[in-house]
Amino acid sequence: KGGSLYEMKDEEGMAHFLEHMIFKGSKNLKEGQFDLKIESLGGSSNAATGLDDVHYHVLIPPEKIEEGLKLILELLLFPTIEEDAFEIEKEVVLEEIAQNIEQPDEIIYMKLLRECLTPHRYSRPILGDKKTVKDINAKQMKLFHKNHYIGKNCTLSVAGDLPREIFSIINNSKLKELKRISEETPINNKISFIKGYKNETIPRLEGPRILKAWQLPPAKEQILILGAEIVATMLCEGKSSLIVKELREEKRIIESIDIDLQILEEGGLILLDVSCTEENRKIAETELNNILKKLTGDFITNKDLERAKKIVINNIYFGLELSAQISSTLGSQALWGRHQALLKSIDDISYWSISRLNELVFPLFNPENAFTLIAEPEK
């Protein structure tokens, strides 16, 4: 639990910057040694910082698991965060921010978050901004690491062809050196979703975009989120989905449409993104709203529902094909106290009928409950 959610005022970008610094060396590993050692074992590594958490991942041959675990724990628990490396890496992070804020997709996404989620921390960029990152110092980062990379905030998840002695390996590892105390970060966990409508001109945007955001329940509401996934699939996944079929395949007034559920611990978002031509933008927006308003138990057929359920079930299976996917899924469940069988969500699919969707999920997609951002290219 060390994502950007846990940053205090003027710390924006700290969690992501720390992820960079973790790989710059530890008490017993010089900069670059971790990667060389992991690669020499036939493995690879990666990391990612999110709004809620940050995760570090090693893919390693089964017989090398003890060495792989030793290396990643050394890196995570004992980073040196040396001043010289810190200042060099700060320039790398600042360059990443500079490149990011030039991307039209990123500009649109951050504008949408700011409009519908301010003042919650979720409305701020994970990378931070130039000013906050420039002002961060190594001492602050060491304190952030000390307060957040601790036992109660950490989960170790291991999946694959595990040796019989796996529990012995874990119990004898440096996990026991994880600190148990920290300064609590006061988190205001109340999200006030803001409905609204706004037009924005976006530099370097190739064509108009219609973006809608709706409030999604917190990640712990797994049954409801599963229902939202079914409805999102019904609307936008595949040529026979409701919006794609009518607006792209038949009326040909949109070029593409994507829907994404951003599942977050304190309350996520349903994000809809439509691309179209300038001459079709207004009619596409009207037709899109008409379909969303018609989203009721009388409009949806059992055929639509069964098709969507089948796709969601297959996506769950496809998302658990690799050991990395399994460890990521189980690790997230354990970290946030949502323990359940790996495939329980497949059993939960049967809970959703048209009448239950009509009562509990269709209202989430009502255009009147959305924040709509119309993004237009510069003339």
Side-chain angles (χ1 to χ4, degrees):
K1 299 179 183 178
S4 60
L5 174 66
Y6 293 90
E7 295 165 350
M8 302 297 287
K9 189 178 183 301
D10 300 325
E11 284 186 345
E12 288 91 341
M14 176 77 81
H16 169 256
F17 190 179
L18 174 57
E19 177 210 314
H20 278 241
M21 288 306 301
I22 290 286
F23 288 93
K24 294 301 169 183
S26 69
K27 191 165 61 176
N28 297 307
L29 287 171
K30 293 181 180 177
E31 183 176 347
Q33 276 192 319
F34 172 79
D35 292 320
L36 289 174
K37 286 179 180 288
I38 289 292
E39 289 170 12
S40 71
L41 298 175
S44 61
S45 65
N46 212 335
T49 302
L51 292 166
D52 288 315
D53 48 38
V54 55
H55 70 262
Y56 299 83
H57 167 245
V58 169
L59 181 67
I60 208 82
E63 65 275 11
K64 303 295 185 182
I65 190 168
E66 185 169 9
E67 294 162 83
L69 180 60
K70 180 180 178 181
L71 285 167
I72 195 167
L73 290 178
E74 167 65 31
L75 201 71
L76 290 174
L77 303 187
F78 312 107
T80 50
I81 311 179
E82 293 179 350
E83 194 71 41
D84 289 347
F86 178 87
E87 293 302 327
I88 292 170
E89 197 61 25
K90 181 183 284 189
E91 294 305 313
V92 174
V93 174
L94 288 169
E95 178 59 29
E96 191 176 344
I97 292 171
Q99 291 179 5
N100 215 47
I101 61 177
E102 294 295 317
Q103 303 299 318
D105 282 351
E106 187 64 22
I107 294 170
I108 293 169
Y109 175 66
M110 288 316 306
K111 282 183 181 293
L112 191 60
L113 291 190
R114 279 197 297 272
E115 292 293 341
C116 66
L117 292 180
T118 298
H120 196 274
R121 283 183 175 84
Y122 286 162
S123 67
R124 303 171 193 169
I126 291 171
L127 298 185
D129 59 49
K130 288 183 178 180
K131 182 182 185 310
T132 57
V133 171
K134 275 183 179 177
D135 290 344
I136 292 172
N137 60 55
K139 185 178 178 182
Q140 283 176 294
M141 183 172 285
K142 288 176 182 178
L143 186 60
F144 188 88
H145 179 274
K146 178 184 176 184
N147 286 339
H148 297 292
Y149 282 55
I150 58 170
K152 68 176 183 178
N153 286 354
C154 171
T155 290
L156 170 69
S157 181
V158 187
D161 186 8
L162 305 180
R164 289 181 181 177
E165 65 275 16
I166 182 64
F167 290 110
S168 174
I169 290 170
I170 292 171
N171 290 334
N172 291 314
S173 73
K174 290 187 177 180
L175 269 180
K176 57 178 176 267
E177 297 190 38
L178 272 168
K179 296 179 178 64
R180 298 190 179 188
I181 57 170
S182 76
E183 247 178 58
E184 290 289 340
T185 299
I187 300 292
N188 177 10
N189 62 6
K190 185 168 177 57
I191 288 180
S192 297
F193 182 84
I194 303 164
K195 305 172 190 177
Y197 188 97
K198 193 168 186 180
N199 284 77
E200 287 277 1
T201 300
I202 308 296
R204 294 174 299 283
L205 189 65
E206 292 184 0
R209 302 263 285 277
I210 304 165
L211 293 103
K212 288 184 178 293
W214 293 269
Q215 189 168 13
L216 188 67
K220 65 181 180 182
E221 303 287 350
Q222 293 185 71
I223 297 283
L224 266 177
I225 289 171
L226 187 60
E229 287 180 2
I230 292 169
V231 175
T233 301
M234 215 181 286
L235 288 171
C236 295
E237 189 158 345
K239 289 185 177 181
S240 57
S241 61
L242 299 172
I243 296 176
V244 174
K245 181 182 178 183
E246 184 170 338
L247 302 191
R248 195 188 73 184
E249 300 300 310
E250 295 175 359
K251 295 183 177 177
R252 299 183 181 277
I253 57 174
I254 65 171
E255 295 176 352
S256 66
I257 182 166
D258 292 300
I259 194 163
D260 180 52
L261 302 189
Q262 187 159 12
I263 301 168
L264 297 166
E265 294 305 318
E266 300 191 2
L269 293 173
I270 302 165
L271 299 171
L272 184 70
D273 185 355
V274 176
S275 298
C276 59
T277 59
E278 181 60 44
E279 57 268 30
N280 287 332
R281 205 271 295 160
K282 289 185 178 179
I283 184 65
E285 185 182 358
T286 300
E287 294 287 340
L288 175 63
N289 285 338
N290 287 340
I291 293 174
L292 293 168
K293 286 174 184 175
K294 288 192 294 184
L295 195 58
T296 65
D298 297 327
F299 180 63
I300 301 300
T301 67
N302 277 316
K303 184 179 178 182
D304 294 325
L305 177 59
E306 291 309 312
R307 170 191 165 274
K309 282 183 174 183
K310 188 177 291 186
I311 291 173
V312 171
I313 287 171
N314 287 340
N315 286 342
I316 293 169
Y317 281 126
F318 296 150
L320 295 170
E321 290 185 311
L322 305 174
S323 60
Q325 295 169 317
I326 294 170
S327 62
S328 176
T329 299
L330 292 177
S332 179
Q333 288 178 0
L335 183 64
W336 298 102
R338 297 194 304 269
H339 298 276
Q340 65 175 35
L342 196 58
L343 298 177
K344 183 179 183 297
S345 52
I346 289 176
D347 295 332
D348 291 339
I349 291 275
S350 61
Y351 172 82
W352 289 108
S353 61
I354 290 178
S355 62
R356 280 180 171 151
L357 290 173
N358 196 45
E359 178 188 357
L360 300 171
V361 181
F362 290 159
L364 295 177
F365 291 80
N366 189 321
E368 293 178 4
N369 294 330
F371 185 92
T372 301
L373 177 67
I374 305 299
E376 298 182 294
E378 292 178 330
K379 301 296 184 183

